[in-house]
Amino acid sequence: MAIIKPETAKNPITLPDLSDEERLQLQRVFTLMQSSGQQDTDRIALIKKQLKSKGIDVDELLELRRLYIQAQKKSAEAITTTFDGKNVRIPGFLVPIEFSDAMVTTDFLLVPVAGACIHMPPPPANQIVRISFPEGIR
């Protein structure tokens, strides 16, 4: 049996190569932007000035980051119709949502790892399949 995966679109946004220190400085700016204190505002201005001297525009990079994340999210949420009307086999584990009788689930999630929605953070949305099966599964 062949394993076929749907095509995923390449992110059209390209992030520039930055040194670890430059990335750390950008992270500091992003974190400090969550505050409204004057001291934090002054610190942001200083970091922006330091990076500007290296040819790095912080505001432009933060906007590019926002667009990159938006494109990644759109790609992750894309729906493929490649398998519509075809019989497929998808291994996984059941997470019951609704029951028609004791121990008979009619609506469930199919997840890639056992305990995915109980004992650990849930898998990415594009790795979860919601299934409605009126006959139910015991």
Side-chain angles (χ1 to χ4, degrees):
M1 177 170 70
I3 296 175
I4 302 170
K5 294 182 180 179
E7 294 284 325
T8 55
K10 185 178 183 293
N11 194 322
I13 307 296
T14 304
L15 298 174
D17 288 328
L18 300 172
S19 70
D20 290 341
E21 180 59 32
E22 292 164 344
R23 277 195 290 267
L24 183 60
Q25 291 291 71
L26 281 172
Q27 183 179 3
R28 285 183 184 132
V29 169
F30 185 77
T31 301
L32 290 168
M33 287 173 66
Q34 310 311 311
S35 171
S36 59
Q38 185 59 46
Q39 187 177 9
D40 293 333
T41 303
D42 294 344
R43 182 74 179 130
I44 290 171
L46 178 63
I47 295 171
K48 283 183 176 183
K49 184 177 178 184
Q50 290 169 345
L51 290 174
K52 186 79 165 175
S53 71
K54 295 180 180 183
I56 298 171
D57 184 327
V58 171
D59 295 322
E60 182 180 298
L61 283 178
L62 290 176
E63 176 61 12
L64 201 57
R65 174 190 176 275
R66 186 189 70 76
L67 294 172
Y68 181 87
I69 291 170
Q70 185 180 36
Q72 287 292 97
K73 183 177 178 187
K74 183 177 179 183
S75 176
E77 294 172 347
I79 296 173
T80 181
T81 57
T82 306
F83 306 106
D84 286 1
K86 296 181 181 176
N87 290 327
V88 296
R89 182 173 180 226
I90 304 173
F93 298 87
L94 299 180
V95 178
I97 299 173
E98 291 184 27
F99 294 88
S100 63
D101 199 2
M103 300 304 291
V104 178
T105 182
T106 55
D107 282 287
F108 54 91
L109 301 177
L110 186 64
V111 296
V113 293
C117 295
I118 299 168
H119 303 294
M120 61 180 74
N126 65 351
Q127 293 181 14
I128 300 173
V129 179
R130 180 169 182 169
I131 299 171
S132 293
F133 188 62
E135 293 100 53
I137 292 180
R138 192 170 233 8

